[in-house]
Amino acid sequence: MTMTEHSEHRQQSLTTATEARGLEALISRAARAGKGAAPVERWNPDFCGDLDMEIKADGTWFYLGTPIGRMPLVQLFSSVLRKDADGRTYLVTPVERVGIRVADAPFIAVEMDVSGSGDGQIITFRTNVGDVVEAGPERPLRFVDETETGGLKPYVLVRGRLEALVARPVMYELVGHGEEIEIDGKTMFAVRSKGAVFAIMPADQLKRLSA
């Protein structure tokens, strides 16, 4: 094979990532990553273009504008997700990296459990794709004010730079475990998990909102 033929062959293999049949090949390569989350942080494949795939704000996955209805397939793709320092999210296999769109967070925390109390309290979340995450120093919670709606959006780190948006019913349950805690000399409404304290908002702000 000449250098030109090799280059053309390589280009053809990359562009198939954006075609329907390229999805089947991507599935087969992702499947070889094994069960659970793949070690995508250790892989450094070439960027192969963008795939017409999007994770909507409600956690629904779309491919070519159509929802992916097969949960095992969604779980498979979620196991090879990676968010890089450039802020973009990719599907990563040992041989390729393709970009996808994410409207908000790639995962949704749909259930939570609280065990223990005080410094020993542990808040555990389950995501829509089956991840189980204990909030704590290595898996922090963060809270974002929605200034346009006056609402609150909590996120929990799942792995790497990938977060789960806490679903609204779960958010209300989470806030129900909040307490006033002094942080850096300021009284905050916060939650505890695995010895870490996560500030939700200043206590006086909560009182104003509750008035």
Side-chain angles (χ1 to χ4, degrees), residues 112-130:
M112 66 169 279
D113 176 76
V114 179
S115 61
S117 60
D119 289 338
Q121 179 169 280
I122 299 176
I123 301 175
T124 304
F125 296 93
R126 179 179 63 82
T127 73
N128 59 319
V129 293

Side-chain angles (χ1 to χ4, degrees), residues 34-116:
K35 301 295 183 181
V40 293
E41 306 298 334
R42 300 204 301 265
W43 298 338
N44 190 32
D46 290 336
F47 175 62
C48 300
D50 292 322
L51 198 64
D52 187 6
M53 182 178 287
E54 181 176 11
I55 306 174
K56 300 289 188 180
D58 66 356
T60 304
W61 289 58
F62 281 73
Y63 178 64
L64 296 176
T66 302
I68 301 176
R70 294 169 53 200
M71 180 50 65
L73 187 55
V74 169
Q75 291 173 325
L76 173 62
F77 283 135
S78 72
S79 72
V80 292
L81 273 183
R82 189 177 78 192
K83 185 175 182 179
D84 285 359
D86 61 6
R88 296 197 61 201
T89 304
Y90 302 90
L91 295 175
V92 183
T93 75
V95 297
E96 65 199 317
R97 176 169 53 98
V98 294
I100 68 169
R101 302 184 303 278
V102 180
D104 194 338
F107 309 129
I108 305 292
V110 295
E111 186 179 5
M112 66 169 279
D113 176 76
V114 179
S115 61

Side-chain angles (χ1 to χ4, degrees), residues 181-200:
I181 302 174
E182 187 169 309
I183 302 175
D184 297 330
K186 188 172 184 178
T187 303
M188 303 292 292
F189 186 67
V191 292
R192 305 174 188 265
S193 186
K194 296 190 76 173
V197 175
F198 303 106
I200 299 175

Side-chain angles (χ1 to χ4, degrees), residues 144-151:
V144 177
D145 285 321
E146 286 191 292
T147 53
E148 66 277 9
T149 65

Side-chain angles (χ1 to χ4, degrees), residues 150-205:
L152 186 70
K153 295 173 71 174
Y155 297 84
V156 61
L157 186 65
V158 176
R159 60 179 180 271
R161 297 182 179 91
L162 300 173
E163 293 181 311
L165 171 65
V166 178
R168 190 161 297 274
V170 181
M171 180 198 72
Y172 292 134
E173 185 180 354
L174 174 64
V175 171
H177 291 276
E179 57 186 295
E180 291 190 1
I181 302 174
E182 187 169 309
I183 302 175
D184 297 330
K186 188 172 184 178
T187 303
M188 303 292 292
F189 186 67
V191 292
R192 305 174 188 265
S193 186
K194 296 190 76 173
V197 175
F198 303 106
I200 299 175
M201 65 178 66
D204 56 358
Q205 179 183 344

